[in-house]
C-alpha cells in the first residue's frame, strides 16, 4: 500500500523555537512511519519578506535543518529539501498565478495579518503578495494530501485547494489532489510575554537550542496572572502562559487539571507551577540541544542530507510539473 504524502516546511529566517515544536514539529515526528514525508526548507519564501537580508536567509537554511535533525527528523524516512533548488516549484508558481486573482491574494487572512505585522503599508513586495500561489506549488508538486502546520497556515491550505480545483477544472482531469491541514488541538503557543505570537524578532521565544539557564530565565519571566499577588489569592489560568505551556507540553493531563483547580482556588504560588514547567522544558530540550551540538560539529553531514533530499525531491517535483504543463494543453516541442 502506498502511504499518504506529506509536504510541509518552514521559512528559513532563523532557528526554530518551542512554538514550532508544539505547532508542527511534534506532528511531523509522529508521521515519519505512517506517511511519505517531505520537509521543505523554504528559502525562496523566506526571501519574500527578507529581500534586504539574503545572508540571513542563507545562514538559516542550516539552522532549520539542524533543528529538524535535532528533534528527531530522520533523513532516511523523511526527505529534507531546499526550495530554491527545486526549479519546478518556481515554474508551477508562475502557472498557478493565472488561477488566482490579486484581490483573492489580498483577502487571504494570513497574508493580511503579515502585511500589517511587517508594516508594508502600500509597499508590499509582489513576491510576498503572491507567496500563497507559490505555497500551492510547493504542496501540489509533491501531490501532498496532508500538511502538518500551525493554525496560522490554514488559510494558505484553503487557497491551495482553490487553485487545485481551478487547475483540475481547466485540465478537465483530477491531476492534483486537494490537501488537508493537520493542526494541533492546543492552538498557537503564545510568546512568554503572553503576546499572541511567539517569534524570535519579538524577543518572546524559547529557541529549541536554548541553554538550561536561558530556559529557566524564560520561565521565570513568563507572564502569569498580574493580580495573583499573594499565594493565598485565587489565580486566573486564562491567558496565564505557564498553564498554556503546561497544556502543550505536560503529558500528565490529570496533574495539570489538579494544579489548575488548586491555582484557581488560591494557595498555589506561581513559583511551584513554574518549577514544574521548567523541569518539563529542560527534559524536552536537553536531548535536542545535545544532539544539535553534536550535529553542528559535522556540517558535511548536514549539507549532504540537504543535497540528497533535494535530489530526491527534484525528480518528484519535475514529474508533477511536466504533468501539469501537459494536461493544461500547452504547446509541446
Ligand atoms: N509558510 C510556511 C511558514 O511560514 C512555510 C512553507 C512554505 C510551507 N511552503 C510550505 C508550509 C508548504 C507548509 C507547506 O513557515
Amino acid at each position: 500500500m502506498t502511504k499518504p504524502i506529506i509536504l510541509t516546511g518552514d521559512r528559513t529566517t532563523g532557528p526554530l523555537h518551542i512554538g514550532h515544536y508544539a505547532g508542527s514539529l511534534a506532528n511531523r515526528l509522529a508521521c515519519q512511519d505512517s506517511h511519505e514525508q517531505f520537509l521543505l526548507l523554504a528559502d525562496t519564501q523566506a526571501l519574500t519578506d527578507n529581500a534586504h537580508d539574503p545572508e540571513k536567509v542563507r545562514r538559516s537554511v542550516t539552522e532549520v535543518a539542524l533543528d529538524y535533525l535535532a528533534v528527531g527528523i530522520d533523513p532516511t524516512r523523511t526527505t529534507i529539501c531546499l526550495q530554491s533548488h527545486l526549479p519546478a516549484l518556481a515554474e508551477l508558481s508562475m502557472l498557478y498565478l493565472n488561477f488566482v486573482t490579486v484581490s483573492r491574494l489580498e483577502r487571504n487572512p494570513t497574508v493580511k495579518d503579515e502585511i500589517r505585522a511587517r508594516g508594508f503599508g502600500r509597499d508590499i513586495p509582489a513576491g510576498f503578495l503572491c507567496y500563497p500561489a507559490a505555497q500551492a506549488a510547493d504542496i501540489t508538486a509533491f501531490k501532498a494530501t496532508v500538511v502538518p502546520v500551525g493554525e496560522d497556515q490554514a488559510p494558505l491550505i484553503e487557497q491551495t485547494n482553490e487553485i487545485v480545483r481551478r487547475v483540475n477544472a481547466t485540465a478537465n482531469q483530477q491531476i492534483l489532489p486537494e490537501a488537508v491541514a493537520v493542526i494541533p488541538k492546543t492552538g498557537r503557543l503564545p510568546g512568554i510575554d503572553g503576546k499572541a505570537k511567539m517569534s524570535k524578532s519579538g524577543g518572546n521565544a524559547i529557541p529549541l537550542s536554548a541553554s538550561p539557564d536561558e530556559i529557566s530565565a524564560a520561565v521565570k519571566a513568563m507572564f502569569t496572572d498580574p493580580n495573583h499577588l499573594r499565594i493565598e489569592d485565587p489565580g486566573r489560568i486564562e491567558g496565564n502562559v505557564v498553564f498554556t505551556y503546561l497544556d502543550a507540553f505536560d503529558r500528565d493531563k490529570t496533574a495539570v487539571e489538579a494544579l489548575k483547580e488548586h491555582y484557581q482556588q488560591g494557595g498555589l504560588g506561581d513559583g511551584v507551577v513554574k518549577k514544574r514547567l521548567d523541569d518539563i522544558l529542560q527534559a524536552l530540550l536537553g536531548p535536542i540541544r545535545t544532539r544539535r551540538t553534536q550535529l553542528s560539529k559535522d556540517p558535511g553531514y548536514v549539507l549532504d542530507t540537504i543535497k540528497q533530499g533535494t535530489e530526491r525531491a527534484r525528480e518528484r517535483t519535475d514529474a508533477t510539473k511536466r504533468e501539469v504543463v501537459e494536461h493544461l494543453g500547452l504547446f509541446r516541442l
Side-chain angles (χ1 to χ4, degrees):
M1 236 192 58
T2 58
K3 296 176 181 177
I5 299 171
I6 287 183
L7 178 279
T8 175
D10 296 278
R11 286 185 198 164
T12 56
T13 53
L16 303 181
H17 50 63
I18 62 168
H20 292 108
Y21 192 89
S24 57
L25 290 171
N27 275 339
R28 298 169 187 180
L29 284 173
C31 291
Q32 294 202 93
D33 288 321
S34 51
H35 291 69
E36 185 182 11
Q37 182 160 248
F38 295 88
L39 279 189
L40 188 66
L41 298 159
D43 59 342
T44 41
Q45 189 179 114
L47 208 58
T48 63
D49 60 343
N50 287 281
H52 57 282
D53 198 358
E55 157 67 19
K56 177 178 79 179
V57 172
R58 184 184 59 76
R59 231 183 318 115
S60 303
V61 166
T62 337
E63 295 298 324
V64 176
L66 274 173
D67 286 328
Y68 286 165
L69 296 168
V71 298
I73 292 293
D74 169 7
T76 66
R77 290 180 289 163
T78 294
T79 303
I80 300 176
C81 52
L82 184 60
Q83 191 178 32
S84 59
H85 285 58
L86 297 169
L89 302 184
E91 297 171 65
L92 283 171
S93 303
M94 285 308 283
L95 290 171
Y96 292 176
L97 280 171
N98 303 302
F99 295 89
V100 62
T101 64
V102 173
S103 68
R104 175 64 180 92
L105 289 163
E106 284 170 341
R107 273 199 312 275
N108 183 307
T110 306
V111 173
K112 263 173 127 168
D113 283 353
E114 289 174 331
I115 288 172
R116 208 172 309 125
R118 285 160 183 65
F120 284 144
R122 300 231 351 108
D123 297 322
I124 308 164
F128 185 82
L129 184 65
C130 298
Y131 92 75
Q135 190 152 325
D138 300 340
I139 294 168
T140 55
F142 291 87
K143 300 217 168 157
T145 54
V146 183
V147 188
V149 278
E151 65 177 348
D152 60 308
Q153 295 290 302
L156 290 154
I157 316 302
E158 206 178 302
Q159 192 158 12
T160 294
N161 289 335
E162 279 177 32
I163 293 174
V164 164
R165 289 193 287 271
R166 294 223 170 97
V167 171
N168 286 344
T170 308
N172 209 5
Q173 207 169 140
Q174 296 299 109
I175 40 176
L176 304 172
E178 291 190 33
V180 175
V182 177
I183 292 163
K185 285 179 220 62
T186 40
R188 181 193 266 183
L189 210 62
I192 62 166
D193 54 0
K195 297 255 168 62
K197 193 176 153 80
M198 177 181 288
S199 70
K200 192 171 153 243
S201 52
N204 61 1
I206 303 178
L208 292 174
S209 52
S211 71
D213 286 349
E214 284 165 345
I215 297 168
S216 297
V219 174
K220 273 217 180 72
M222 225 166 250
F223 181 84
T224 58
D225 171 4
N227 296 319
H228 187 227
L229 298 175
R230 288 169 310 177
I231 291 180
E232 56 273 27
D233 290 341
R236 270 175 68 85
I237 56 163
E238 294 80 18
N240 187 319
V241 179
V242 183
F243 282 103
T244 311
Y245 282 27
L246 283 177
D247 279 335
F249 296 109
D250 195 334
R251 293 218 183 85
D252 189 346
K253 301 298 167 207
T254 328
V256 175
E257 287 315 308
L259 279 176
K260 283 183 181 172
E261 201 141 305
H262 191 176
Y263 193 82
Q264 286 172 305
Q265 271 166 13
L268 181 59
D270 283 356
V272 177
V273 197
K274 283 187 168 180
K275 171 76 173 64
R276 181 179 180 96
L277 179 63
D278 189 48
D279 290 346
I280 289 169
L281 291 182
Q282 300 287 359
L284 173 74
L285 297 181
I288 296 176
R289 183 177 53 244
T290 308
R291 190 149 161 66
R292 206 181 190 284
T293 311
Q294 273 169 0
L295 285 161
S296 61
K297 292 187 187 128
D298 193 353
Y301 169 76
V302 180
L303 192 63
D304 281 347
T305 301
I306 303 174
K307 263 194 189 155
Q308 285 165 18
T310 305
E311 259 159 51
R312 240 176 294 155
R314 194 174 293 129
E315 284 175 34
R316 185 71 64 111
T317 53
D318 282 348
T320 307
K321 189 218 52 189
R322 279 196 299 273
E323 212 182 324
V324 171
V325 169
E326 185 180 320
H327 285 92
L328 281 178
L330 294 174
F331 197 92
R332 284 205 272 165
L333 277 181

